[in-house]
PDB file of all heavy atoms in Angstrom:
ATOM      1  N   GLN A  10     121.738  40.145  70.083  1.00 97.00           N
ATOM      2  CA  GLN A  10     121.717  39.683  71.476  1.00 97.00           C
ATOM      3  C   GLN A  10     120.485  40.207  72.212  1.00 97.00           C
ATOM      4  O   GLN A  10     119.853  39.474  72.982  1.00 97.00           O
ATOM      5  CB  GLN A  10     122.993  40.105  72.212  1.00 97.00           C
ATOM      6  CG  GLN A  10     124.216  39.313  71.770  1.00 97.00           C
ATOM      7  CD  GLN A  10     125.398  39.589  72.670  1.00 97.00           C
ATOM      8  OE1 GLN A  10     125.339  39.342  73.869  1.00 97.00           O
ATOM      9  NE2 GLN A  10     126.474  40.109  72.092  1.00 97.00           N
ATOM     10  N   LEU A  19     108.573  38.888  75.606  1.00 97.00           N
ATOM     11  CA  LEU A  19     107.481  39.250  74.706  1.00 97.00           C
ATOM     12  C   LEU A  19     106.509  38.090  74.524  1.00 97.00           C
ATOM     13  O   LEU A  19     105.289  38.282  74.518  1.00 97.00           O
ATOM     14  CB  LEU A  19     108.032  39.709  73.353  1.00 97.00           C
ATOM     15  CG  LEU A  19     108.951  40.930  73.390  1.00 97.00           C
ATOM     16  CD1 LEU A  19     109.432  41.275  71.998  1.00 97.00           C
ATOM     17  CD2 LEU A  19     108.266  42.114  74.038  1.00 97.00           C
ATOM     18  N   GLY A  49      97.284  47.162  69.143  1.00 88.00           N
ATOM     19  CA  GLY A  49      98.271  48.186  69.482  1.00 88.00           C
ATOM     20  C   GLY A  49      98.845  48.044  70.880  1.00 88.00           C
ATOM     21  O   GLY A  49      98.311  47.351  71.734  1.00 88.00           O
ATOM     22  N   ALA A  59     110.138  46.792  79.703  1.00 97.00           N
ATOM     23  CA  ALA A  59     111.355  47.478  80.152  1.00 97.00           C
ATOM     24  C   ALA A  59     111.727  47.047  81.573  1.00 97.00           C
ATOM     25  O   ALA A  59     112.902  46.796  81.862  1.00 97.00           O
ATOM     26  CB  ALA A  59     111.171  48.990  80.092  1.00 97.00           C
ATOM     27  N   SER A  98     101.981  44.157  55.228  1.00 90.00           N
ATOM     28  CA  SER A  98     101.498  45.428  54.689  1.00 90.00           C
ATOM     29  C   SER A  98     101.027  45.344  53.244  1.00 90.00           C
ATOM     30  O   SER A  98     100.675  46.375  52.650  1.00 90.00           O
ATOM     31  CB  SER A  98     102.595  46.489  54.826  1.00 90.00           C
ATOM     32  OG  SER A  98     102.938  46.651  56.185  1.00 90.00           O
ATOM     33  N   GLU A 101      98.190  47.573  51.849  1.00 91.00           N
ATOM     34  CA  GLU A 101      98.125  48.796  52.653  1.00 91.00           C
ATOM     35  C   GLU A 101      98.754  49.957  51.881  1.00 91.00           C
ATOM     36  O   GLU A 101      99.588  49.765  51.003  1.00 91.00           O
ATOM     37  CB  GLU A 101      98.903  48.604  53.966  1.00 91.00           C
ATOM     38  CG  GLU A 101      98.351  47.528  54.859  1.00 91.00           C
ATOM     39  CD  GLU A 101      97.049  47.904  55.531  1.00 91.00           C
ATOM     40  OE1 GLU A 101      96.822  49.115  55.776  1.00 91.00           O
ATOM     41  OE2 GLU A 101      96.256  46.993  55.808  1.00 91.00           O
ATOM     42  N   ARG A 150     107.403  53.261  54.506  1.00 92.00           N
ATOM     43  CA  ARG A 150     106.647  53.178  55.749  1.00 92.00           C
ATOM     44  C   ARG A 150     105.152  53.222  55.439  1.00 92.00           C
ATOM     45  O   ARG A 150     104.739  53.606  54.338  1.00 92.00           O
ATOM     46  CB  ARG A 150     107.025  54.324  56.676  1.00 92.00           C
ATOM     47  CG  ARG A 150     106.632  55.675  56.166  1.00 92.00           C
ATOM     48  CD  ARG A 150     107.027  56.747  57.144  1.00 92.00           C
ATOM     49  NE  ARG A 150     106.649  58.059  56.613  1.00 92.00           N
ATOM     50  CZ  ARG A 150     106.990  59.181  57.159  1.00 92.00           C
ATOM     51  NH1 ARG A 150     107.703  59.193  58.260  1.00 92.00           N
ATOM     52  NH2 ARG A 150     106.615  60.317  56.633  1.00 92.00           N
TER      53      ARG A 150
END
Side-chain angles (χ1 to χ4, degrees):
Q10 288 190 60
L19 300 180
S98 300
E101 297 288 331
R150 66 179 179 188

